[in-house]
PDB file of all heavy atoms in Angstrom:
ATOM      1  N   GLY C 309       4.995  -1.043  31.800  1.00  0.00           N
ATOM      2  CA  GLY C 309       5.063  -0.162  32.974  1.00  0.00           C
ATOM      3  C   GLY C 309       4.546  -0.824  34.267  1.00  0.00           C
ATOM      4  O   GLY C 309       4.640  -0.206  35.314  1.00  0.00           O
ATOM      5  N   ARG C 310       4.103  -2.090  34.142  1.00  0.00           N
ATOM      6  CA  ARG C 310       3.586  -2.731  35.348  1.00  0.00           C
ATOM      7  C   ARG C 310       4.794  -3.446  36.055  1.00  0.00           C
ATOM      8  O   ARG C 310       5.647  -4.092  35.504  1.00  0.00           O
ATOM      9  CB  ARG C 310       2.589  -3.828  35.021  1.00  0.00           C
ATOM     10  CG  ARG C 310       1.337  -3.184  34.370  1.00  0.00           C
ATOM     11  CD  ARG C 310       0.243  -4.252  34.214  1.00  0.00           C
ATOM     12  NE  ARG C 310      -0.878  -3.706  33.478  1.00  0.00           N
ATOM     13  CZ  ARG C 310      -2.013  -4.454  33.162  1.00  0.00           C
ATOM     14  NH1 ARG C 310      -2.030  -5.686  33.601  1.00  0.00           N
ATOM     15  NH2 ARG C 310      -2.991  -3.850  32.498  1.00  0.00           N
ATOM     16  N   SER C 311       4.806  -3.371  37.414  1.00  0.00           N
ATOM     17  CA  SER C 311       5.985  -3.851  38.212  1.00  0.00           C
ATOM     18  C   SER C 311       6.085  -5.378  38.190  1.00  0.00           C
ATOM     19  O   SER C 311       7.212  -5.902  38.410  1.00  0.00           O
ATOM     20  CB  SER C 311       5.912  -3.335  39.616  1.00  0.00           C
ATOM     21  OG  SER C 311       4.664  -3.796  40.188  1.00  0.00           O
ATOM     22  N   ASP C 312       4.975  -6.030  38.035  1.00  0.00           N
ATOM     23  CA  ASP C 312       4.978  -7.517  38.034  1.00  0.00           C
ATOM     24  C   ASP C 312       5.014  -8.200  36.666  1.00  0.00           C
ATOM     25  O   ASP C 312       4.840  -9.351  36.523  1.00  0.00           O
ATOM     26  CB  ASP C 312       3.752  -8.096  38.787  1.00  0.00           C
ATOM     27  CG  ASP C 312       2.477  -7.649  38.091  1.00  0.00           C
ATOM     28  OD1 ASP C 312       2.477  -6.763  37.232  1.00  0.00           O
ATOM     29  OD2 ASP C 312       1.421  -8.295  38.392  1.00  0.00           O
ATOM     30  N   VAL C 313       5.402  -7.352  35.636  1.00  0.00           N
ATOM     31  CA  VAL C 313       5.499  -7.954  34.265  1.00  0.00           C
ATOM     32  C   VAL C 313       6.836  -7.800  33.713  1.00  0.00           C
ATOM     33  O   VAL C 313       7.566  -6.827  33.872  1.00  0.00           O
ATOM     34  CB  VAL C 313       4.484  -7.084  33.372  1.00  0.00           C
ATOM     35  CG1 VAL C 313       4.729  -7.423  31.877  1.00  0.00           C
ATOM     36  CG2 VAL C 313       3.019  -7.384  33.716  1.00  0.00           C
ATOM     37  N   ILE C 314       7.262  -8.920  33.067  1.00  0.00           N
ATOM     38  CA  ILE C 314       8.496  -8.925  32.301  1.00  0.00           C
ATOM     39  C   ILE C 314       8.135  -9.057  30.740  1.00  0.00           C
ATOM     40  O   ILE C 314       7.460  -9.991  30.395  1.00  0.00           O
ATOM     41  CB  ILE C 314       9.436 -10.099  32.671  1.00  0.00           C
ATOM     42  CG1 ILE C 314       9.837  -9.970  34.117  1.00  0.00           C
ATOM     43  CG2 ILE C 314      10.737 -10.080  31.740  1.00  0.00           C
ATOM     44  CD1 ILE C 314      10.617 -11.168  34.624  1.00  0.00           C
ATOM     45  N   ILE C 315       8.590  -8.115  29.978  1.00  0.00           N
ATOM     46  CA  ILE C 315       8.284  -8.179  28.521  1.00  0.00           C
ATOM     47  C   ILE C 315       9.452  -8.947  27.875  1.00  0.00           C
ATOM     48  O   ILE C 315      10.631  -8.564  28.135  1.00  0.00           O
ATOM     49  CB  ILE C 315       8.218  -6.783  27.919  1.00  0.00           C
ATOM     50  CG1 ILE C 315       7.023  -5.970  28.491  1.00  0.00           C
ATOM     51  CG2 ILE C 315       8.088  -6.868  26.420  1.00  0.00           C
ATOM     52  CD1 ILE C 315       5.673  -6.471  28.111  1.00  0.00           C
ATOM     53  N   ALA C 316       9.087  -9.939  27.083  1.00  0.00           N
ATOM     54  CA  ALA C 316      10.101 -10.673  26.300  1.00  0.00           C
ATOM     55  C   ALA C 316       9.850 -10.389  24.840  1.00  0.00           C
ATOM     56  O   ALA C 316       8.721 -10.522  24.391  1.00  0.00           O
ATOM     57  CB  ALA C 316       9.986 -12.133  26.515  1.00  0.00           C
ATOM     58  N   THR C 317      10.831  -9.916  24.096  1.00  0.00           N
ATOM     59  CA  THR C 317      10.587  -9.507  22.730  1.00  0.00           C
ATOM     60  C   THR C 317      11.829  -9.639  21.845  1.00  0.00           C
ATOM     61  O   THR C 317      12.922  -9.729  22.342  1.00  0.00           O
ATOM     62  CB  THR C 317      10.209  -7.968  22.732  1.00  0.00           C
ATOM     63  OG1 THR C 317      10.014  -7.528  21.366  1.00  0.00           O
ATOM     64  CG2 THR C 317      11.389  -7.137  23.365  1.00  0.00           C
ATOM     65  N   PHE C 318      11.492  -9.707  20.545  1.00  0.00           N
ATOM     66  CA  PHE C 318      12.684  -9.612  19.519  1.00  0.00           C
ATOM     67  C   PHE C 318      13.289  -8.252  19.626  1.00  0.00           C
ATOM     68  O   PHE C 318      12.488  -7.211  19.914  1.00  0.00           O
ATOM     69  CB  PHE C 318      12.245  -9.999  18.180  1.00  0.00           C
ATOM     70  CG  PHE C 318      11.686 -11.382  18.031  1.00  0.00           C
ATOM     71  CD1 PHE C 318      10.564 -11.707  17.305  1.00  0.00           C
ATOM     72  CD2 PHE C 318      12.410 -12.517  18.572  1.00  0.00           C
ATOM     73  CE1 PHE C 318      10.081 -13.007  17.213  1.00  0.00           C
ATOM     74  CE2 PHE C 318      11.981 -13.796  18.427  1.00  0.00           C
ATOM     75  CZ  PHE C 318      10.733 -14.038  17.697  1.00  0.00           C
ATOM     76  N   GLY C 319      14.513  -8.115  19.343  1.00  0.00           N
ATOM     77  CA  GLY C 319      15.190  -6.822  19.459  1.00  0.00           C
ATOM     78  C   GLY C 319      14.658  -5.761  18.554  1.00  0.00           C
ATOM     79  O   GLY C 319      14.729  -4.516  18.904  1.00  0.00           O
ATOM     80  N   ASP C 320      14.090  -6.081  17.383  1.00  0.00           N
ATOM     81  CA  ASP C 320      13.579  -4.988  16.505  1.00  0.00           C
ATOM     82  C   ASP C 320      12.563  -4.103  17.062  1.00  0.00           C
ATOM     83  O   ASP C 320      12.401  -3.007  16.610  1.00  0.00           O
ATOM     84  CB  ASP C 320      12.990  -5.706  15.207  1.00  0.00           C
ATOM     85  CG  ASP C 320      14.077  -6.009  14.187  1.00  0.00           C
ATOM     86  OD1 ASP C 320      15.284  -5.769  14.471  1.00  0.00           O
ATOM     87  OD2 ASP C 320      13.778  -6.446  13.048  1.00  0.00           O
ATOM     88  N   LEU C 321      11.835  -4.577  18.034  1.00  0.00           N
ATOM     89  CA  LEU C 321      10.731  -3.828  18.575  1.00  0.00           C
ATOM     90  C   LEU C 321      11.194  -2.788  19.599  1.00  0.00           C
ATOM     91  O   LEU C 321      10.499  -1.879  20.038  1.00  0.00           O
ATOM     92  CB  LEU C 321       9.651  -4.651  19.275  1.00  0.00           C
ATOM     93  CG  LEU C 321       8.575  -5.267  18.382  1.00  0.00           C
ATOM     94  CD1 LEU C 321       7.612  -6.032  19.243  1.00  0.00           C
ATOM     95  CD2 LEU C 321       7.824  -4.188  17.622  1.00  0.00           C
ATOM     96  N   MET C 322      12.514  -2.942  20.112  1.00  0.00           N
ATOM     97  CA  MET C 322      13.022  -2.130  21.208  1.00  0.00           C
ATOM     98  C   MET C 322      12.885  -0.667  20.938  1.00  0.00           C
ATOM     99  O   MET C 322      12.626   0.180  21.811  1.00  0.00           O
ATOM    100  CB  MET C 322      14.441  -2.494  21.543  1.00  0.00           C
ATOM    101  CG  MET C 322      14.501  -3.896  22.217  1.00  0.00           C
ATOM    102  SD  MET C 322      13.818  -4.029  23.855  1.00  0.00           S
ATOM    103  CE  MET C 322      14.859  -2.976  24.827  1.00  0.00           C
ATOM    104  N   ARG C 323      13.204  -0.193  19.701  1.00  0.00           N
ATOM    105  CA  ARG C 323      13.326   1.202  19.369  1.00  0.00           C
ATOM    106  C   ARG C 323      12.118   1.741  18.601  1.00  0.00           C
ATOM    107  O   ARG C 323      12.130   2.898  18.156  1.00  0.00           O
ATOM    108  CB  ARG C 323      14.579   1.473  18.584  1.00  0.00           C
ATOM    109  CG  ARG C 323      15.884   1.132  19.363  1.00  0.00           C
ATOM    110  CD  ARG C 323      17.036   1.187  18.502  1.00  0.00           C
ATOM    111  NE  ARG C 323      17.355   2.574  18.041  1.00  0.00           N
ATOM    112  CZ  ARG C 323      17.513   2.869  16.759  1.00  0.00           C
ATOM    113  NH1 ARG C 323      17.436   1.966  15.879  1.00  0.00           N
ATOM    114  NH2 ARG C 323      17.742   4.103  16.392  1.00  0.00           N
ATOM    115  N   VAL C 324      11.086   0.919  18.432  1.00  0.00           N
ATOM    116  CA  VAL C 324       9.913   1.404  17.724  1.00  0.00           C
ATOM    117  C   VAL C 324       9.214   2.498  18.562  1.00  0.00           C
ATOM    118  O   VAL C 324       8.884   2.253  19.729  1.00  0.00           O
ATOM    119  CB  VAL C 324       8.896   0.262  17.479  1.00  0.00           C
ATOM    120  CG1 VAL C 324       7.607   0.830  16.846  1.00  0.00           C
ATOM    121  CG2 VAL C 324       9.505  -0.741  16.518  1.00  0.00           C
ATOM    122  N   PRO C 325       9.067   3.686  17.998  1.00  0.00           N
ATOM    123  CA  PRO C 325       8.462   4.879  18.720  1.00  0.00           C
ATOM    124  C   PRO C 325       6.913   4.575  19.053  1.00  0.00           C
ATOM    125  O   PRO C 325       6.179   4.105  18.174  1.00  0.00           O
ATOM    126  CB  PRO C 325       8.698   6.024  17.822  1.00  0.00           C
ATOM    127  CG  PRO C 325       9.679   5.609  16.870  1.00  0.00           C
ATOM    128  CD  PRO C 325       9.578   4.154  16.697  1.00  0.00           C
ATOM    129  N   GLY C 326       6.562   4.935  20.242  1.00  0.00           N
ATOM    130  CA  GLY C 326       5.191   4.842  20.642  1.00  0.00           C
ATOM    131  C   GLY C 326       4.689   6.305  20.955  1.00  0.00           C
ATOM    132  O   GLY C 326       5.332   7.219  20.686  1.00  0.00           O
TER     133      GLY C 326
END
Side-chain angles (χ1 to χ4, degrees):
R310 298 187 187 181
S311 60
D312 61 344
V313 168
I314 299 173
I315 298 291
T317 179
F318 296 135
D320 274 5
L321 276 181
M322 289 295 289
R323 297 172 63 234
V324 172

